[in-house]
């Protein structure tokens, strides 16, 4: 809609000006002309040339430079409103490139700057006095909303790709405040929350993924995308909450379908929370989970004054005989990771698995694994014990196997 409105307003006005062969607009004569709205006029031949150059340029970056040159030389032009809309149109097209696959770093930077400029100039561009006569108030309001949505969408997506998860979350939430019927944005918002590696907020990520699955119609995901999102949600739900509560997952979907953001008192119990409740308290829970008891004892010893000496003598270079139940927290790189942070007792992660060969699995935050870890190193604050992936005994993660060497018999 924004492109169309720009053409209705700026395009028509610029076209009228470009037909003035003398370089100056002349006031029409007669009674009919007196009742017609006054047309903007170029100040001189220099402005006419600047206007013409900007209107004919098709390269978006060059067009911005020409518009800026026109603005610098003729700041009080009678075409200020039209010129600003031309700026907005150009910024909008440059920003849109930030959502396309295969963009270069320069294009990403340009898209980010353009989206920021859209927001900075939003009030001036869509001021009531700037509205063209051919556009209704409702159309003008809708156009502003669409431009604002685009800017936040682009800024959020660029931040998400850069792993600036707090910024991505903030931008996507601003988008959602304007349009809460975009399933892709809900899914990205969930990823931005999960990417911050704060397991206490993981229920918020689950909510957004459930929201993405629940949205239908024009803002919904395509069929294959919805299936992938639904499968991912189920796996993430099972990892965090447990796979024995399908009704709870459906209740989450039903709740998420009603509102873009979860209610203030929203909670989802983790597997650990549920097991503690079943056990009847912390002491009973540790009695039923000797792996957690051993892990806490080991951690207390390692962070103590003589922890490094104990580690070097009794832990390093050996398999810890206890099998620990753990959850995947994060990994890097995103594709075929070689480092996986896991949570054995701390939701934010308290162990790291390092591999020499990439991992084959498509990992999910909260994914359960079991590990008898081969200890390699540790740090005290924040506590993190590093295991060798190849030397540890791990269930739930597989690594790439080297391709067999094929020996061909020489021809006789």
């Amino acid at each position: 809609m924004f492109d169309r409105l720009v053409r209705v307003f700026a395009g028509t006005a610029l076209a009228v000006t470009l037909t003035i062969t003398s370089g100056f607009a002349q006031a029409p004569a007669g009674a009919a002309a007196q009742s017609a709205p006054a047309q903007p006029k170029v100040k001189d031949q220099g402005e006419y040339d600047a206007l013409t150059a900007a209107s004919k340029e098709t390269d978006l970056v060059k067009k911005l430079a020409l518009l800026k040159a026109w603005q610098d030389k003729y700041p009080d032009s009678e075409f200020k409103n039209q010129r600003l809309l031309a700026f907005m149109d150009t910024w909008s097209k440059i920003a849109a490139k930030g959502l396309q696959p295969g963009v270069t770093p320069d294009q990403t930077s340009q898209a980010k700057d353009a989206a920021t400029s859209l927001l900075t100039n939003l009030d001036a561009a869509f001021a009531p006095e700037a509205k063209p006569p051919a556009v209704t108030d409702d159309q003008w309001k809708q156009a502003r909303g669409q431009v604002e949505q685009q800017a936040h969408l682009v800024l959020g997506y660029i931040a998400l790709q850069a792993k600036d998860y707090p910024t991505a979350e903030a931008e996507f939430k601003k988008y959602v405040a304007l349009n809460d019927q975009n399933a892709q944005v809900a899914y990205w918002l969930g990823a931005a929350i999960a990417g911050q590696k704060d397991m206490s907020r993981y229920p918020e990520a689950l909510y957004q993924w459930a929201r993405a699955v629940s949205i239908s119609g024009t803002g919904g995901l395509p069929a294959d995308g919805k299936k992938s999102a639904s499968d991912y949600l189920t796996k993430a739900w099972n990892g965090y909450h447990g796979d024995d509560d399908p009704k709870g997952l459906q209740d989450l979907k039903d709740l998420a379908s009603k509102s873009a953001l979860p209610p203030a008192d929203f909670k989802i119990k983790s597997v650990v929370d549920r097991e503690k409740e079943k056990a009847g308290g912390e002491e009973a829970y540790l009695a039923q989970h000797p792996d957690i008891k051993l892990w806490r004892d080991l951690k207390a010893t390692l962070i103590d004054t003589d922890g490094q000496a104990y580690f070097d003598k009794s832990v390093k270079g050996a398999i810890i005989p206890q099998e620990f139940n753990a959850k995947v927290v994060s990994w890097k790189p995103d594709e075929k990771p070689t480092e996986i942070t896991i949570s054995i007792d701390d939701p934010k992660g308290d162990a790291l698995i390092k591999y020499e060969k990439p991992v084959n699995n498509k990992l999910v935050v909260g994914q359960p694994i079991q590990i008898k870890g081969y200890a390699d190193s540790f740090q005290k604050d924040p506590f993190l014990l590093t295991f060798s992936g190849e030397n540890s005994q791990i269930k739930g993660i597989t690594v790439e196997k080297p391709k067999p060497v094929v020996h061909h018999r020489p021809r006789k």
Side-chain angles (χ1 to χ4, degrees), residues 112-267:
K112 183 178 179 181
D113 290 344
T116 302
S117 295
L118 286 174
L119 294 174
T120 301
N121 292 275
L122 195 65
D123 289 340
F126 290 97
E129 60 271 19
K131 184 181 74 66
V135 177
T136 67
D137 290 344
D138 186 58
Q139 288 175 322
W140 200 231
K141 182 179 179 180
Q142 288 182 42
R144 177 195 167 106
Q146 289 178 2
V147 173
E148 192 172 1
Q149 288 173 43
Q150 181 200 24
H152 290 305
L153 178 64
V154 170
L155 292 173
Y157 181 76
I158 289 174
L160 185 66
Q161 297 306 305
K163 296 183 174 58
D164 181 0
Y165 297 118
T167 297
E169 178 187 357
E171 292 296 338
F172 288 142
K173 282 186 174 178
K174 290 174 183 176
Y175 178 96
V176 166
L178 299 165
N179 178 5
D180 63 1
Q181 293 298 312
N182 189 316
Q184 183 62 75
V185 172
Y187 191 86
W188 285 339
L189 177 54
I193 294 171
Q196 295 174 56
K197 302 176 185 178
D198 182 352
M199 290 301 288
S200 68
R201 297 192 63 203
Y202 198 64
E204 297 175 58
L206 291 171
Y207 184 96
Q208 291 302 326
W209 292 328
R211 175 74 180 168
V213 171
S214 72
I215 294 174
S216 58
T218 56
L221 296 169
D224 57 342
K226 180 171 283 194
K227 182 181 184 306
S228 296
S230 181
D231 291 346
Y232 187 89
L233 169 64
T234 299
K235 192 171 183 179
W237 168 269
N238 291 345
Y240 182 80
H241 180 76
D243 60 2
D244 59 343
D245 188 16
K247 183 180 181 302
L249 177 56
Q250 185 57 52
D251 290 344
L252 173 63
K253 293 177 182 178
D254 293 342
L255 178 65
S257 70
K258 298 174 184 177
S259 175
L261 299 175
D265 59 348
F266 176 72
K267 292 180 181 178

Side-chain angles (χ1 to χ4, degrees), residues 336-399:
K336 295 188 176 182
T338 55
E339 294 187 10
I340 303 173
T341 300
I342 61 173
S343 166
I344 294 176
D345 189 40
D346 184 347
K348 293 183 179 181
D350 45 17
L352 176 68
I353 307 172
K354 280 190 172 184
Y355 289 92
E356 293 181 6
K357 298 288 185 181
V359 169
N360 278 338
N361 302 58
K362 182 172 178 56
L363 300 173
V364 176
V365 174
Q367 175 180 328
I369 67 166
Q370 294 78 43
I371 179 172
K372 287 185 177 180
Y374 181 94
D376 182 68
S377 61
F378 82 102
Q379 67 181 37
K380 290 188 177 184
D381 188 19
F383 180 76
L384 190 74
L385 181 54
T386 299
F387 297 120
S388 164
E390 278 76 14
N391 295 318
S392 298
Q393 299 172 19
I394 304 173
K395 299 174 185 175
I397 297 176
T398 58
V399 298

Side-chain angles (χ1 to χ4, degrees), residues 3 7 30 44 61 64 78 96 156 195 234 241 248 259 265 277 288 305 307 374 377 387 390 395 411:
D3 287 346
R7 287 195 298 272
D44 53 30
V61 176
L64 271 186
E78 292 187 20
T234 299
H241 180 76
S259 175
D265 59 348
E277 286 184 357
Q288 294 179 17
T305 306
Y374 181 94
S377 61
F387 297 120
E390 278 76 14
K395 299 174 185 175
R411 293 182 180 180

